[in-house]
Amino acid sequence: VRQGQLYVDGDSVEMGGTLFTVCPWWDGPVSRAELEAQLARDALKVRERWVWIHHAPPDQSPVSWAGKRFWGDEFLGGWIRTHRPHMVLSGHIHNAPFLDRGGWMDRIESTWVFNPGRQIGPVPTCISIDLESGAAEWTSFQGPVKQMLGSP
């Protein structure tokens, strides 16, 4: 599937000063170690910004709240603290943005973490990120919500 501008698990691509790392799903110590090695390699690359695409959000974050417990990746928060990407884009926890203790965005130290969630109907939730103006906007059936990325 690697052709043109299609990037898949394990790929990294630089676009306009931003390095995007596509993190593969890991399901045990071997694949987790492979992802850790990829992050360590990409951490050495020169870039203006670093964005990870990671299936599950970090554990113990509002973006991983599922209503009764957190269902995030237990290692992702540590990798974020070690490598300090600018942003992590995730999903997996569909209802987190719509729950009282949940959310569509979080900040772990200096890293912004996003999860658009999922809503029923023909129009999906969406997060638009404008790196130039430093703003993120989450759109759902509840309407748009904007977050300036320079703000806590």
Side-chain angles (χ1 to χ4, degrees):
V1 293
R2 285 186 171 97
Q3 17 177 322
Q5 292 185 342
L6 180 62
Y7 304 98
V8 299
D9 286 359
D11 285 346
S12 298
V13 61
E14 189 274 330
M15 293 182 201
T18 300
L19 177 65
F20 292 90
T21 298
V22 183
C23 302
W25 176 264
W26 66 268
D27 61 356
V30 172
S31 53
R32 186 176 70 232
E34 290 170 353
L35 173 54
E36 289 171 341
Q38 177 187 8
L39 296 175
R41 280 191 310 273
D42 282 2
L44 300 175
K45 296 179 181 178
V46 177
R47 77 262 173 203
E48 192 175 324
R49 283 178 292 274
W50 192 12
V51 176
W52 298 355
I53 294 101
H54 191 278
H55 182 79
D59 201 27
Q60 304 303 308
S61 166
V63 296
S64 68
W65 179 246
K68 294 186 180 180
R69 63 169 282 205
F70 295 97
W71 283 98
D73 184 311
E74 64 183 302
F75 293 93
L76 182 56
W79 297 331
I80 289 170
R81 287 177 182 86
T82 297
H83 297 294
R84 300 179 180 270
H86 293 85
M87 293 177 198
V88 177
L89 310 177
S90 65
H92 188 64
I93 310 302
H94 298 168
N95 53 351
F98 303 102
L99 299 172
D100 284 339
R101 292 179 52 197
W104 65 275
M105 56 95 188
D106 189 18
R107 196 161 188 187
I108 298 175
E109 295 181 357
S110 62
T111 300
W112 285 98
V113 181
F114 298 101
N115 173 5
R118 178 181 176 271
Q119 66 188 12
I120 303 300
V123 179
T125 55
C126 175
I127 298 175
S128 301
I129 300 171
D130 184 336
L131 297 174
E132 296 303 315
S133 70
E137 184 174 87
W138 177 65
T139 305
S140 75
F141 63 81
Q142 297 175 342
V145 179
K146 192 169 189 173
Q147 173 67 45
M148 296 307 295
L149 300 179
S151 306

